[in-house]
């Protein structure tokens, strides 16, 4: 079941290594399970690449790799509320090919001219949204390990080990922060939106000026609280019957 | 200081909701209950008014509980309601004489056809501003008088009261059989075909033409002059405001100036534009209606364009064609292709509403080739809502002599980014979504809050409006012209397809 969920949560076929790593299973164990699932027709293996995928994602498995439009539709009221209570712009991101894909954007309610960021691609290692996905969407984190860590500012984390440690902290805390790692004066706070089995399917967070999101080099606790509460509310919304 | 909130009840077509708003106009809590729909015959759609009232009694305390708010922290209550839905009850018991006949119900078609060919059609047009149509409440009241045994006699004795939903709720909230206040508001009254649209009073000639006794009609009040206090549910709390749901959305979107327009995208779509303090008669198939009236001020009027099928076309894709398992997926499929592939869907399921008003039209899908796949079809489904909006906007521009410069949108379909971009493209104006998309409840809250002094003035409310998203037009003019020409051709093919 867990194997199916992992496969169902990924938008493309996974390798045996990715499946076993995602679930902390021995490779042989994962292989055995995959063979059984293939035998009963729930899983396909690509002849050419050897990668695995769910045969046809039944509804009860979906919600892992959630349809981004479904996610936006269900999250919209909560994203609006998060923007209204914090006074900051809200973004929702999902795992993209090699970066974070922005699927929803609520403007900062300060009346300033703003550009719709829907469809933008954000670097995983230099944004709060990306760090949340690295921490809670295991298959994606594994996939991105090969990508180079581009430097955007002096504070961008470009060292693999440092990033791994940072992501571990995110996993423990349940939220991610980023300050001046992509733009010198911008910051972000984000938390995971979870699907079936607690797997991260997206991230919701604030994006704004560093001096508004942070005070004394720490994220403002009230903002963190609001972000985490919004992420939980959206998660609950995904569990609700359609 | 205890924080205080404004409560709003939106008694809608499918459900009744209660929301609490804080001083910044932010939603604090929401509770919602659906009610049953009764379909006793084809074309008949009824609600049980008693069930609706029971639901109101549940959602209000539920919303308060969610926010941890006591009755003493509620500054005032605002009501918004599904319009044109008609209920008649016995004031001695509070029991309705029949189920409420809803706005979707077409049983008065024959009655209305007689009115249209009768001697009073011009009177209705010039005084009420409305072309007789089964859409409006007056003919439903007449139907009830004709068909409920003994109702005409009860009415003559003063033992039958008429109301649309807000009237029914105010009467019950203010004591029902024990002193219930029998009032309606100018927006709901403007949808009955019985009110003089300029004087805002019942017109005896219209009452005579429909043979409706004045005795059963509620008093007409301004939207912020309901002037009644709840004796139950929220005892002691004033009912600060009441207005029809689409007018509430216009108010919630803070469209206070002439030329400002909003479109609410739900099952259908309703575009209202504020036209100022004079009635603008339509030559383009729009409905002139009261937008709102504030105390001591002349009424503001609106032109309304109603689109019967918008979100319900996506539901059709989901429930009847089973092409998608949830409504938002239509966007995913539509994004699998670049354009509509030459395919157009005209969703004239029960004819076409504004601005074409063609009851003889039926739905068509045109432009099919072997190239067209489900992605193109999904796109055509979404584009149908965009094209229909454009038809209404063109009519409004022609009638009002002003060109719409931006469109404020709300409702569930605003989550569909492909549709929102297409709207901006096909209208060639920016499309803006506010941060509170629950504009119906918000508008009712605003009206009540103004009456209660919770908010000082319209300027304060305007400052509460925050832009959540804005889509700019990107489509080239030549392509827009080409696309809309094709749409017009598709619509022509829908005309006259009805078998009768």
């Amino acid at each position: 079941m867990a194997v199916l969920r992992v496969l169902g949560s990924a938008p493309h076929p996974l390798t045996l290594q990715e499946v076993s790593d995602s679930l902390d299973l021995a490779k042989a164990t994962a292989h055995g399970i995959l063979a059984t699932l293939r035998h009963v027709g729930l899983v396909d293996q690509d002849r050419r690449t050897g990668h695995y995928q769910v045969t046809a994602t039944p509804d009860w498995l979906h919600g892992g790799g959630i349809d981004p439009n479904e996610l936006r539709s269900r999250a919209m009221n909560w994203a609006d509320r998060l923007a209204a209570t914090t006074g900051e712009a809200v973004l929702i991101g999902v795992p993209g090919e090699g970066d974070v894909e922005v699927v929803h954007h609520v403007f900062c309610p300060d009346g300033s001219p703003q550009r719709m960021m829907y469809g933008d691609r954000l670097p995983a290692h230099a944004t709060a949204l990306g760090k949340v996905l690295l921490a809670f969407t295991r298959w994606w984190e594994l996939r991105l390990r090969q990508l180079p860590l581009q430097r955007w500012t002096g504070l961008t984390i470009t060292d693999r080990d440092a990033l791994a440690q940072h992501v571990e902290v995110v996993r423990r805390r349940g939220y991610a922060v980023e300050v001046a790692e992509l733009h010198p004066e911008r910051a972000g706070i984000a938390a995971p939106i979870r699907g079936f089995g607690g797997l991260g399917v997206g991230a919701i967070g604030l994006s704004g000026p560093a001096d508004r999101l942070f005070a004394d080099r720490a994220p403002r606790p009230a903002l963190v609280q609001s972000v985490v509460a919004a992420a939980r509310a959206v998660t609950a919304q995904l569990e609700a019957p359609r | 200081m205890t924080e205080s909130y404004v409560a709003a009840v939106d008694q809608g077509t499918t459900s009744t909701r209660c929301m609490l708003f804080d001083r910044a106009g932010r939603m604090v809590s929401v509770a919602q209950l659906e009610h049953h729909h009764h379909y006793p015959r084809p074309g008949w759609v009824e609600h049980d008014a008693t069930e609706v009232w029971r639901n109101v009694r549940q959602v209000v305390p539920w919303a308060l509980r969610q926010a941890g708010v006591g009755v003493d922290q509620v500054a005032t209550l605002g009501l918004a309601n599904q319009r044109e839905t008609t209920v008649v009850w016995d004031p001695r018991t509070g029991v309705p004489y029949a189920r409420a006949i809803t706005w979707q119900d077409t049983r008065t078609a024959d009655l209305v056809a007689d009115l249209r060919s009768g001697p009073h059609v011009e009177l209705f047009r010039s005084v009420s501003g409305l072309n007789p149509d089964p859409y409006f409440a007056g003919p439903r009241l007449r139907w009830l008088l004709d068909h409920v045994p003994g109702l005409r006699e009860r009415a003559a004795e003063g033992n039958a009261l008429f109301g649309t939903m807000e009237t029914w709720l105010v009467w019950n909230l203010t004591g029902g059989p024990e002193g219930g206040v029998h009032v309606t508001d100018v927006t709901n009254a403007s949808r009955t075909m019985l009110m003089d649209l300029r004087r805002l009073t019942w017109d005896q000639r219209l009452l005579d033409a429909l043979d409706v006794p004045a005795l059963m009609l509620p008093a007409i009040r301004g939207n912020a002059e309901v002037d009644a206090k709840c004796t139950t549910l929220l005892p002691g709390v004033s009912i600060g405001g009441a207005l029809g749901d689409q007018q509430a959305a216009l108010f919630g979107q803070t469209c206070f100036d002439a030329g400002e327009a909003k479109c609410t995208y739900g099952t259908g779509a309703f575009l209202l534009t504020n036209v100022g303090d004079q009635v603008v008669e339509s030559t383009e198939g729009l409905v002139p209606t009261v937008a709102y009236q504030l105390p001591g001020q002349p009424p503001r009027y609106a032109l309304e364009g109603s689109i019967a099928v918008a979100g319900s076309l996506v539901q059709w894709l989901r429930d009847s064609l089973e092409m998608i398992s949830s409504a938002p997926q239509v966007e995913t499929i539509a994004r699998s292709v670049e354009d509509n592939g030459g395919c157009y869907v005209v969703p004239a399921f029960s004819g076409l509403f504004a601005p074409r008003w063609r009851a003889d039209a039926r739905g068509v899908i045109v432009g099919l080739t072997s190239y067209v796949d489900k992605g193109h079809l999904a796109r055509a489904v979404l584009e149908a809502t965009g094209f229909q909006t454009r038809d209404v906007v063109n009519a409004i521009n022609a009638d009002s002599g002003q060109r719409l410069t931006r469109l404020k949108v709300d409702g569930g379909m605003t989550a569909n980014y492909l549709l929102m971009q297409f709207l901006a493209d096909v209208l060639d104006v920016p499309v803006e979504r506010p941060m509170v998309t629950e504009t119906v409840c918000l508008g009712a809250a605003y009206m009540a809050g103004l009456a209660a002094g919770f908010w000082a003035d319209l300027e304060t409310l305007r400052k509460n409006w925050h832009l959540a998203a804005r889509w700019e037009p990107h489509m080239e003019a030549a392509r827009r012209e080409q696309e809309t020409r094709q749409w017009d051709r598709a619509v022509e093919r829908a005309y006259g397809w009805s078998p009768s």
Side-chain angles (χ1 to χ4, degrees):
Chain A
M1 188 65 203
V3 171
L4 283 175
R5 278 176 180 162
V6 166
L7 291 173
S9 72
H12 31 239
L14 298 180
T15 62
L16 173 61
Q17 184 77 50
E18 286 171 331
V19 172
S20 59
D21 282 3
S22 289
L23 293 163
D24 288 324
L25 291 175
K27 225 169 160 176
T29 315
H31 186 264
I33 295 171
L34 283 164
T36 310
L37 291 171
R38 264 185 68 199
H39 184 68
V40 297
L42 283 172
V43 163
D44 272 341
Q45 187 175 18
D46 189 305
R47 277 168 200 281
R48 200 171 44 80
T49 61
H51 294 188
Y52 295 90
Q53 65 180 338
V54 178
T55 311
T57 314
D59 249 12
W60 50 270
L61 267 178
H62 225 283
I66 190 168
D67 183 325
N69 298 309
E70 181 89 46
L71 175 59
R72 180 193 319 119
S73 174
R74 286 171 168 255
M76 198 156 98
N77 272 341
W78 297 106
D80 282 352
R81 193 175 152 158
L82 179 59
T85 48
T86 60
E88 301 295 344
V90 170
L91 296 175
I92 294 180
V94 297
E97 277 301 317
D99 45 23
V100 181
E101 190 180 341
V102 176
V103 297
H104 188 45
H105 177 196
V106 184
F107 287 3
C108 168
D110 64 359
S112 64
Q114 288 162 79
R115 180 187 62 85
M116 179 61 116
M117 285 177 66
Y118 168 75
D120 281 12
R121 301 295 189 134
L122 303 173
H125 64 290
T127 57
L129 293 176
K131 291 177 191 175
V132 162
L133 293 175
L134 289 175
F136 295 94
T137 313
R138 197 79 184 272
W139 64 264
W140 192 67
E141 191 260 337
L142 293 167
R143 186 149 290 229
L144 262 59
R145 271 189 196 173
Q146 284 74 334
L147 293 180
L149 300 176
Q150 193 182 335
R151 175 170 294 286
W152 298 89
T153 70
L155 292 176
T156 310
I157 304 172
T158 50
D159 177 69
R160 255 312 135 203
D161 292 339
L163 182 63
Q165 277 173 26
H166 188 98
V167 163
E168 189 48 46
V169 172
V170 170
R171 201 172 289 134
R172 230 177 24 243
R173 282 191 184 144
Y175 66 89
V177 298
E178 168 265 315
V179 58
E181 291 160 52
L182 183 60
H183 296 293
E185 281 150 19
R186 308 280 297 176
I189 303 171
I193 298 168
R194 297 161 188 265
F196 272 104
L199 295 168
V201 294
I204 182 170
L206 305 175
S207 167
D211 57 353
R212 285 213 303 251
L213 265 52
F214 277 66
D216 302 327
R217 316 183 105 210
R220 293 178 193 271
L223 297 182
V224 171
Q225 232 171 48
S226 297
V227 169
V228 170
R232 287 211 182 108
V234 175
T235 297
Q237 192 65 44
L238 294 182
E239 285 161 0
R242 292 171 196 192
Chain B
M1 187 187 121
T2 47
E3 270 189 299
S4 60
Y5 303 91
V6 173
V9 168
D10 170 14
Q11 200 299 294
T13 307
T14 53
S15 71
T16 303
R17 329 208 279 164
C18 179
M19 294 188 186
L20 291 181
F21 293 94
D22 65 13
R23 218 170 275 273
R26 294 180 300 210
M27 187 185 89
V28 178
S29 68
V30 52
Q32 174 169 355
L33 267 181
E34 296 196 354
H35 51 259
H36 292 96
H37 293 235
H38 303 270
Y39 306 98
R41 293 189 203 182
W44 291 28
V45 189
E46 301 176 345
H47 294 161
D48 177 353
T50 305
E51 181 190 5
V52 167
W53 168 234
R54 197 164 53 233
N55 286 357
V56 170
R57 281 188 316 206
Q58 291 190 51
V59 293
V60 172
W62 185 6
L64 263 63
R65 225 172 19 247
Q66 262 184 46
V69 165
V71 172
D72 55 332
Q73 288 168 280
V74 178
T76 181
L77 169 69
L79 298 178
N81 61 293
Q82 52 168 323
R83 306 170 304 171
E84 302 103 13
T85 295
T86 304
V87 58
V88 174
W89 69 96
D90 186 336
R92 296 165 298 184
T93 60
V95 177
Y97 283 106
R99 287 204 197 107
I101 307 179
T102 73
W103 63 274
Q104 300 155 306
D105 187 297
T106 55
R107 76 182 66 181
T108 60
D110 291 343
L111 185 75
V112 168
D114 289 347
L115 287 176
R116 278 186 185 157
S117 57
H120 302 298
V121 63
E122 254 327 298
L123 188 71
F124 281 111
R125 270 186 206 143
S126 60
V127 178
S128 76
L130 306 176
N131 260 323
D133 195 279
Y135 184 27
F136 303 116
R140 296 200 177 100
L141 172 53
R142 164 64 182 275
W143 189 95
L144 287 167
L145 286 164
D146 288 349
H147 291 86
V148 176
L151 183 57
R152 208 168 265 286
E153 291 72 34
R154 300 290 89 71
E157 300 159 10
N159 286 326
L161 300 181
F162 154 81
T164 37
M165 280 311 202
E166 85 298 350
T167 304
W168 166 247
L169 295 184
V170 172
W171 187 81
N172 277 292
L173 283 163
T174 54
E178 282 100 49
V181 178
H182 189 219
V183 293
T184 183
D185 75 276
V186 289
T187 64
N188 276 295
S190 79
R191 321 283 299 183
T192 57
M193 287 171 43
L194 299 172
M195 187 185 80
D196 183 326
L197 191 56
R198 290 165 186 84
R199 295 166 188 272
L200 308 182
T201 54
W202 302 121
D203 187 279
Q204 192 57 48
R205 294 166 298 172
L206 299 177
L207 298 184
D208 291 343
L210 262 175
D211 197 13
V212 165
L215 197 56
M216 39 185 337
L217 301 184
I220 301 176
R221 301 266 175 88
N223 296 104
E225 294 163 299
V226 180
D227 197 24
K229 264 193 170 39
C230 297
T231 61
T232 176
L233 204 55
L234 296 169
V237 173
S238 68
I239 302 172
L243 64 182
D245 53 10
Q246 295 306 323
Q247 280 87 346
L250 186 73
F251 203 72
Q253 284 268 27
T254 65
C255 294
F256 304 138
D257 287 336
E260 290 190 290
K262 70 88 201 177
C263 194
T264 302
Y265 292 95
T267 310
F270 296 87
L271 199 156
L272 272 75
T273 183
N274 187 325
V275 294
D277 53 16
Q278 297 295 323
V279 174
V280 171
E281 285 178 36
S282 177
T283 56
E284 302 285 335
L286 303 170
V287 175
T289 195
V290 179
Y292 58 89
Q293 187 188 25
L294 297 173
Q297 293 182 27
R300 304 291 297 203
Y301 291 96
L303 272 176
E304 172 172 334
S306 325
I307 296 163
V309 175
S312 53
L313 185 61
V314 176
Q315 285 167 12
W316 177 76
L317 220 54
R318 183 193 64 195
D319 301 336
S320 301
L321 299 192
E322 297 179 13
M323 235 175 79
I324 46 178
S325 62
S326 76
Q329 283 176 14
V330 70
E331 181 171 356
T332 313
I333 298 180
R335 283 191 189 278
S336 68
V337 292
E338 287 297 307
D339 55 35
N340 61 26
C343 176
Y344 298 82
V345 179
V346 182
F349 288 0
S350 44
L352 286 167
F353 276 23
R356 300 173 192 259
W357 296 105
R358 288 289 295 249
D360 65 336
R362 285 298 175 271
V364 294
I365 301 176
V366 298
L368 296 182
T369 59
S370 50
Y371 172 72
V372 170
D373 66 19
K374 65 178 180 176
H376 300 112
L377 189 61
R379 225 169 232 272
V381 156
L382 293 174
E383 290 184 358
T385 293
F387 286 125
Q388 290 186 98
T389 306
R390 179 182 169 277
D391 287 346
V392 168
V393 167
N394 281 353
I396 282 177
N397 286 343
D399 272 337
S400 67
Q402 287 171 317
R403 221 185 113 66
L404 188 81
T405 53
R406 62 173 179 162
L407 182 67
K408 292 177 171 180
V409 295
D410 52 70
M413 278 183 108
T414 56
N416 193 307
Y417 279 10
L418 189 147
L419 172 61
M420 293 301 107
Q421 183 58 52
F422 184 72
L423 265 180
D425 285 342
V426 79
L427 297 177
D428 198 22
V429 297
V431 167
E432 299 183 343
R433 179 178 84 81
M435 201 156 282
V436 175
T437 45
E438 306 290 351
T439 54
V440 173
C441 267
L442 184 63
Y446 276 175
M447 190 55 79
L450 275 181
F454 187 79
W455 288 294
D457 50 26
L458 298 182
E459 252 339 282
T460 312
L461 299 182
R462 242 190 247 280
K463 285 187 192 128
N464 283 346
W465 191 95
H466 296 295
L467 185 67
R470 179 180 165 107
W471 291 267
E472 302 283 349
H474 293 312
M475 193 183 273
E476 283 174 30
R479 166 122 187 272
R480 178 163 48 245
E481 269 162 42
Q482 164 74 12
E483 286 294 318
T484 51
R485 205 163 39 238
Q486 289 295 85
W487 164 256
D488 286 340
R489 291 178 64 210
V491 173
E492 276 168 34
R493 272 143 189 87
Y495 289 169
W497 197 260
S498 161
S500 51

